[in-house]
Amino acid sequence: MRKISWGREWLALVICLIHVLPFYILATTSFKAHDDFSSKWVAPGYLYLDNFVNAWREADLDRAIVNNVVVTVGSGLLIVLIGSIASYPLARHRTPLNRAVYGVFVSALIVPPLTILVPLYKFMVDIGGMNQLWGIILLHVTFSLPITIFLYTGFISSIPYELEEAALIDGAGRFKLFYLILMPLLKPITATVIILTCVNIWNDFQFSVFFLQKQEMHTITVALSGFFSQYNNYIGWVAAGSFLGAIPITLVYLFLQRYFIQGLSSGAVKG
Amino acid sequence: MSVRNREQPNLKSLVRFMPEKLRNSPAWLNLLYVPALLLFGLFILYPFIRGLMYSFTNWDGYSQTFKWIGLSNYRRMFSDPDVARVIRNTFIYGLGSALLQNIIGLAYALFLNQNIRMRALTRTIIYLPAIISPLIMGYIWYFFFQYNGGAINDIILLFADEPVNLLGDPDTNVWMITIVNTYQFLGVAMVILLAGLQVIPKEFHEAATIDGAGTLSRFRHVTWPLLAPAVTVSVVLNVIGGLKLFDVITAMTNSGPGYSSASLSTLMYQLYFGRQDAGYAATIGNLMFVIISVVSFTFLFYLKRRETSLA
């Protein structure tokens, strides 16, 4: 077998340590008592959890986490459903009309929806979607459709059509065809779509902060930002809040990291 | 191949006997993208048109009435020194972090493309920040850059008497935010470039080595041209991400002091919610739309052309 180069292993270790540094500082800061003014580089030699207790209570994190889960799961389901069925005719029937529709969806990949914030806000007020989880879900779904349709259309085009023809001749209806034949084949790309869109939705701040202003509707990021502007001086609380806010997605990432990295690279290579 | 050819006439004759409904299915199949199109029209197209309209008014964001004021918002925008500063910042965030992310990301990708035992762990750690909320990442780095008791100033104070106000100084704050954005998303560049490196056939390198090419010329003539598609994706993704930067700025400086670290997106937010200047905020939004689409399409066009000329 190939020889191990210890120089490279050491370099890899140094790179890891540099990249972990921010998390180390986050940890020392969040475990430090309010009257401990030692440097952030120094780890506290005691166990102190008040920061976490206070941050959890004041930022109302339990409700925020529930809201976050509802928004992310709801959006994810709708994205997969609406995105996959929309891509089917776009991939299989490349009429001039369908090419144009595909072009409209994909061109929106480039331009961030944040640019239409002002009129969008007015529109959400008009349809009663302000401070409603369904309101933000519809927004997330819409803004995730371009990447979803792009990935699904590319993937469906690469599946041989003979498979579907055979099923049609056997008398399967189009819907049966879609759910029994196509859906199972779409599993890998569905995983990519879910990872690419749901991470953004889970972490979203720029839209949630506008459209979920009522406290009962706050998601994690919105709850934290409100909490931070209020308790600016309690740096330990802020750190503990950040710590707690980052934990759920970090755990998911560490368990499923193979899929995260595959999802990103396969999504990128298709592009 | 030969099997398929033999079967094709068979299939065609079968289709002729299929019920009318199935043969004409493609037309009604188009109904499947109607829900997506509907959402797109309601939440993107319609607001976009309304946004163009609002930019010609003095609307305050909540009242039912407003006056048409022609091009005043646009005239005001082009003579506003804050806007000039904010456009400069936006370009630093967009191009600066894309440049840094791709240089460091490429270095990491080349390093990790070797036989390293710690490869999986290193990749996991470098990519980790990219999945954490940029808002939280901003707060984490705030502990470094803080004036009182910040981690960086603790080190500076070992050598100097005065701490440095990295976030309060308009000359440095934009760069500090760029560094944070770079740190957070350079893993994205690394993963994309690493995937690009791994699809380059090993035989190409071996052939070049046999022809007497050194490490550097192998990189220049084999790796770099074949990596072009991955570079395109990585650069365009990072440029767009940087140009629309919002969360990190809000967390670290809240656009301040003044508007010295604002990007177009945070400026738009401040004008709308802070100053009820909705007509003007919509105008800034339109400017942002133009800037991001022009810059991204330019990059995409240039990099795509480069791909074919290198291939």
Side-chain angles (χ1 to χ4, degrees):
Chain A
M1 282 317 205
R2 266 194 259 174
K3 221 174 65 186
I4 301 160
S5 149
W6 288 105
R8 284 182 203 158
E9 301 296 328
W10 278 106
L11 184 57
L13 185 69
V14 170
I15 292 173
C16 287
L17 287 179
I18 291 173
H19 281 262
V20 164
L21 211 55
F23 297 98
Y24 169 75
I25 297 287
L26 174 69
T28 61
T29 313
S30 46
F31 282 103
K32 210 165 268 187
H34 192 54
D35 52 4
D36 182 345
F37 294 108
S38 64
S39 167
K40 291 192 169 59
W41 295 98
V42 182
Y46 46 84
L47 187 65
Y48 178 81
L49 297 174
D50 280 17
N51 291 331
F52 289 93
V53 176
N54 293 328
W56 184 270
R57 192 190 56 231
E58 294 301 317
D60 214 351
L61 276 180
D62 38 357
R63 189 159 52 190
I65 288 176
V66 171
N67 286 341
N68 239 50
V69 170
V70 171
V71 169
T72 310
V73 172
S75 308
L77 288 175
L78 283 174
I79 286 169
V80 169
L81 181 72
I82 298 178
S84 62
I85 62 166
S87 307
Y88 182 65
L90 296 177
R92 282 296 183 232
H93 304 287
R94 296 183 174 260
T95 58
L97 171 73
N98 287 5
R99 277 172 205 268
V101 170
Y102 178 72
V104 168
F105 280 124
V106 170
S107 62
L109 270 176
I110 298 274
V111 184
L114 197 65
T115 60
I116 52 166
L117 179 73
V118 174
L120 192 59
Y121 189 85
K122 172 81 166 89
F123 180 61
M124 288 291 273
V125 172
D126 290 346
I127 63 169
M130 281 294 298
N131 293 315
Q132 302 289 341
L133 295 185
W134 62 261
I136 196 87
I137 287 177
L138 285 184
L139 285 185
H140 284 318
V141 172
T142 309
F143 299 152
S144 308
L145 279 178
I147 180 78
T148 308
I149 289 177
F150 172 70
L151 290 173
Y152 270 124
T153 306
F155 193 85
I156 295 175
S157 308
S158 71
I159 300 175
Y161 191 51
E162 280 78 2
L163 213 62
E164 286 158 54
E165 271 177 336
L168 279 179
I169 289 160
D170 288 348
R174 286 277 175 177
F175 286 100
K176 217 171 169 188
L177 170 88
F178 191 80
Y179 285 103
L180 290 182
I181 311 271
L182 218 48
M183 259 311 200
L185 293 174
L186 293 183
K187 263 187 207 154
I189 196 73
T190 303
T192 302
V193 164
I194 290 176
I195 283 170
L196 288 184
T197 58
C198 288
V199 170
N200 281 335
I201 293 169
W202 178 270
N203 287 333
D204 177 69
F205 174 64
Q206 45 193 17
F207 291 105
S208 306
V209 73
F210 304 124
F211 299 110
L212 301 175
Q213 295 180 353
K214 224 193 263 164
Q215 206 182 347
E216 302 93 84
M217 296 297 155
H218 279 179
T219 50
I220 294 175
T221 49
V222 185
L224 287 180
S225 80
F227 165 69
F228 292 164
S229 46
Q230 201 178 345
Y231 295 99
N232 210 315
N233 293 325
Y234 295 81
I235 206 76
W237 295 20
V238 173
S242 304
F243 201 113
L244 291 168
I247 283 178
I249 191 145
T250 307
L251 288 180
V252 174
Y253 168 70
L254 290 180
F255 281 111
L256 298 176
Q257 57 118 341
R258 201 160 56 89
Y259 297 95
F260 276 71
I261 287 170
Q262 270 172 7
L264 177 65
S265 23
S266 69
V269 170
K270 299 267 157 44
Chain B
M1 205 58 200
S2 63
V3 175
R4 227 181 100 191
N5 282 341
R6 238 187 305 132
E7 277 182 0
Q8 246 167 9
N10 260 340
L11 271 177
K12 276 214 182 99
S13 57
L14 268 175
V15 167
R16 222 170 291 140
F17 292 111
M18 272 162 67
E20 192 74 0
K21 206 178 74 189
L22 273 181
R23 233 192 307 161
N24 294 335
S25 51
W28 70 259
L29 268 185
N30 287 355
L31 287 176
L32 290 176
Y33 60 64
V34 169
L37 216 49
L38 211 63
L39 285 174
F40 198 86
L42 281 177
F43 292 103
I44 295 184
L45 230 50
Y46 172 72
F48 178 73
I49 294 163
R50 290 293 291 251
L52 287 178
M53 196 188 95
Y54 289 139
S55 70
F56 299 107
T57 70
N58 67 349
W59 187 46
D60 59 13
Y62 50 88
S63 49
Q64 293 303 313
T65 56
F66 48 76
K67 268 212 305 266
W68 294 93
I69 53 170
L71 288 171
S72 325
N73 281 329
Y74 288 91
R75 241 176 267 133
R76 178 178 159 200
M77 182 170 75
F78 288 117
S79 57
D80 190 338
D82 284 337
V83 170
R85 164 93 192 183
V86 169
I87 291 175
R88 166 191 165 270
N89 292 350
T90 306
F91 273 100
I92 294 178
Y93 295 142
L95 306 185
S97 29
L99 187 71
L100 289 172
Q101 278 158 356
N102 281 287
I103 291 176
I104 304 173
L106 178 63
Y108 282 176
L110 288 170
F111 175 63
L112 290 182
N113 198 31
Q114 304 173 91
N115 182 31
I116 295 174
R117 279 190 164 186
M118 284 176 62
R119 173 155 100 189
L121 177 71
T122 312
R123 199 180 54 177
T124 305
I125 288 179
I126 294 174
Y127 189 64
L128 171 66
I131 57 108
I132 290 177
S133 152
L135 185 86
I136 292 177
M137 196 48 68
Y139 290 126
I140 294 177
W141 277 85
Y142 177 74
F143 308 137
F144 277 83
F145 295 127
Q146 253 180 302
Y147 184 67
N148 284 317
I152 291 180
N153 272 323
D154 281 346
I155 295 178
I156 288 176
L157 283 175
L158 296 177
F159 305 100
D161 302 328
E162 282 285 307
V164 184
N165 199 353
L166 291 163
L167 292 179
D169 183 343
D171 290 331
T172 54
N173 54 11
V174 177
W175 297 103
M176 298 306 124
I177 292 170
T178 306
I179 289 174
V180 175
N181 187 45
T182 303
Y183 163 80
Q184 180 163 20
F185 291 110
L186 70 84
V188 173
M190 180 196 70
V191 168
I192 294 174
L193 296 173
L194 192 55
L197 285 176
Q198 282 167 348
V199 296
I200 299 177
K202 276 209 173 68
E203 292 76 24
F204 286 22
H205 283 284
E206 282 158 12
T209 315
I210 292 166
D211 288 348
T215 313
L216 258 181
S217 83
R218 270 208 313 268
F219 177 76
R220 237 197 109 216
H221 298 290
V222 180
T223 312
W224 187 238
L226 289 171
L227 199 58
V231 171
T232 304
V233 177
S234 167
V235 168
V236 172
L237 267 182
N238 285 323
V239 166
I240 298 174
L243 287 176
K244 64 175 189 187
L245 200 63
F246 181 90
D247 305 20
V248 180
I249 305 170
T250 309
M252 289 180 67
T253 61
N254 202 18
S255 303
Y259 288 130
S260 65
S261 57
S263 68
L264 284 167
S265 38
T266 63
L267 176 68
M268 182 173 65
Y269 172 72
Q270 307 254 346
L271 287 169
Y272 190 12
F273 292 97
R275 303 217 315 233
Q276 276 78 47
D277 216 341
Y280 191 42
T283 315
I284 301 282
N286 294 340
L287 174 73
M288 191 173 148
F289 174 84
V290 172
I291 288 183
I292 296 187
S293 19
V294 168
V295 172
S296 319
F297 277 114
T298 310
F299 266 91
L300 202 59
F301 179 76
Y302 169 75
L303 290 169
K304 279 280 174 198
R305 213 183 50 184
R306 175 177 158 276
E307 274 176 33
T308 46
S309 73
L310 283 174

